[in-house]
Amino acid sequence: MANFFREFKEFAMRGNVIDMAVGVVIGAAFGKIVSSLVNDLIMPLVGVATGGMNFTDLKWVIQSAVMNGTEVIKPEVTLNWGAWVQTVVDFLIVAFCIFVMVKFINRMRKLRQAEEEAAPAPAEPTKEEQLLTEIRDLLRQQAEKK
């Protein structure tokens, strides 16, 4: 049993697993931010542009509800296409934001790589420096022999 827990600890503490967990948590928080952006900012503007229409309430009734006075005997069957439109808009905004973020990261990588390539290589030592280095090495060897 102790071996099982040790293996699990090694698995859980691997860099990739922790990186993935952090990515999932940040992704969930980012999803909430984008959903709020869509629900609270974009869709109300779209609603105003479409005459006050609320997309989440749009549906196609396939079968009406069966009622007995105020009591619902059988609820209506609907296709909630407005909620689907809202989900598609959420997805498109998340995909666009991720695209922009990845594009920015790739651009920064290319800039860094270009800077590294543009940096001048260290100059070759002159003949004098090579001779001085050889003399230094010979003196060290002689000192070590004594």
Side-chain angles (χ1 to χ4, degrees), residues 17-33:
V17 174
I18 293 172
D19 291 344
M20 185 177 66
V22 169
V24 167
V25 171
I26 289 174
F30 185 69
K32 289 180 183 179
I33 290 170

Side-chain angles (χ1 to χ4, degrees), residues 1 58 63:
M1 193 66 154
L58 297 176
Q63 186 176 30

